[in-house]
Amino acid sequence: EADIYQTPRYLVIGTGKKITLECSQTMGHDKMYWYQQDPGMELHLIHYSYGVNSTEKGDLSSESTVSRIRTEHFPLTLESARPSHTSQYLCASSDLRGLPPNTQYFGPGTRLTVL
Amino acid sequence: AQSVTQLDSQVPVFEEAPVELRCNYSSSVSVYLFWYVQYPNQGLQLLLKYLSGSTLVKGINGFEAEFNKSQTSFHLRKPSVHISDTAEYFCAVSENSGYALNFGKGTSLLVTP
């Protein structure tokens, strides 16, 4: 069982609010990811990090930002939420040590609704 | 560039019947392949993965998948499904040289009595 946590699990918020989605893992994994998932669609990578002070944008352009100040923590922030940000956000982590493959472990997700 | 196609968006099946969820991929290099399951209101859980060696891979919950390089497929099978197998199943591919995972759009498995 993977030890990766996301809070909140559900969030309903008004347009223009600033929000932060939390993600923490206790496995000591170097690499962490944020995916966006819409119903019936594949997961899209929006951010990833190789380690502390490392952040990169993923394949899908996103107005969100991320930070990696501690190995175990990878929060995602939306400065001004809009209805188009309504989606499920999944956090994942993987161990960079040793060879690939890239087995990613996922958190339970945050379902965000922006009114 | 790699891509993943899950040929069925929904698969309805009766309890105790066999099931196959299809996955095809395209890549110009060798790949690693994964199946993840997502139960309602939960994150993704790794079912099984193909790295190298035997083309038949066994995973958790009685699932198995077969890697077919010539057909670029990695179909997931279970000989007898249970109601609790109702979930969304995602196929994913990672190229040898990198760490990125590309996911398919998912297949919704609905098991009914």
Side-chain angles (χ1 to χ4, degrees), chain A residues 9-10 31 33 35 37 40-43 59 88 90 96 100-104 106-108, chain B residues 32 34 36 38 41-44 46 49 51 90 94 96 98-105:
Chain A
R9 293 291 313 278
Y10 304 92
K31 198 166 181 183
Y33 316 77
Y35 290 89
Q37 182 187 26
M41 300 297 290
E42 62 267 60
L43 280 71
D59 304 323
Q88 170 145 278
L90 290 168
L96 271 183
N102 184 20
T103 300
Q104 296 184 20
F106 283 80
Chain B
Y32 300 117
F34 304 80
Y36 283 87
Q38 185 179 32
N41 300 316
Q42 295 187 26
L44 275 68
L46 182 67
K49 58 187 177 185
L51 312 178
F90 290 92
S94 175
N96 279 4
Y99 292 93
L101 271 182
N102 280 337
F103 286 87
K105 292 187 177 183

Side-chain angles (χ1 to χ4, degrees), chain A:
Chain A
E1 193 76 21
D3 297 318
I4 181 164
Y5 308 98
Q6 290 185 244
T7 58
R9 293 291 313 278
Y10 304 92
L11 179 61
V12 181
I13 202 162
T15 297
K17 299 290 187 183
K18 178 180 179 179
I19 59 169
T20 296
L21 308 185
E22 302 287 349
C23 175
S24 295
Q25 50 94 7
T26 58
M27 298 171 283
H29 285 171
D30 298 300
K31 198 166 181 183
M32 296 188 72
Y33 316 77
W34 276 103
Y35 290 89
Q36 187 171 337
Q37 182 187 26
D38 294 314
M41 300 297 290
E42 62 267 60
L43 280 71
H44 289 288
L45 181 67
I46 51 175
H47 298 283
Y48 62 98
S49 166
Y50 285 106
V52 172
N53 294 327
S54 154
T55 60
E56 303 286 343
K57 290 191 179 295
D59 304 323
L60 182 68
S61 175
S62 173
E63 293 167 348
S64 58
T65 59
V66 292
S67 62
R68 189 89 183 272
I69 299 172
R70 303 197 315 265
T71 297
E72 63 271 20
H73 194 214
F74 192 42
L76 180 145
T77 298
L78 278 165
E79 290 292 333
S80 179
R82 295 208 299 269
S84 60
H85 296 138
T86 295
S87 189
Q88 170 145 278
Y89 294 84
L90 290 168
C91 181
S93 72
S94 64
D95 194 349
L96 271 183
R97 290 165 291 182
L99 296 172
N102 184 20
T103 300
Q104 296 184 20
Y105 298 92
F106 283 80
T110 294
R111 188 169 295 279
L112 172 66
T113 302
V114 184
L115 304 175

Side-chain angles (χ1 to χ4, degrees), chain B residues 53-108:
Chain B
S54 173
T55 57
L56 184 62
V57 180
K58 293 191 183 298
I60 62 172
N61 302 339
F63 283 94
E64 62 182 31
E66 185 157 19
F67 171 59
N68 188 318
K69 188 174 181 179
S70 62
Q71 296 186 2
T72 61
S73 68
F74 190 54
H75 301 333
L76 181 71
R77 301 187 185 100
K78 187 170 182 178
S80 175
V81 295
H82 191 267
I83 298 285
S84 60
D85 291 324
T86 293
E88 193 82 14
Y89 291 79
F90 290 92
C91 182
V93 61
S94 175
E95 291 183 344
N96 279 4
S97 59
Y99 292 93
L101 271 182
N102 280 337
F103 286 87
K105 292 187 177 183
T107 296
S108 180

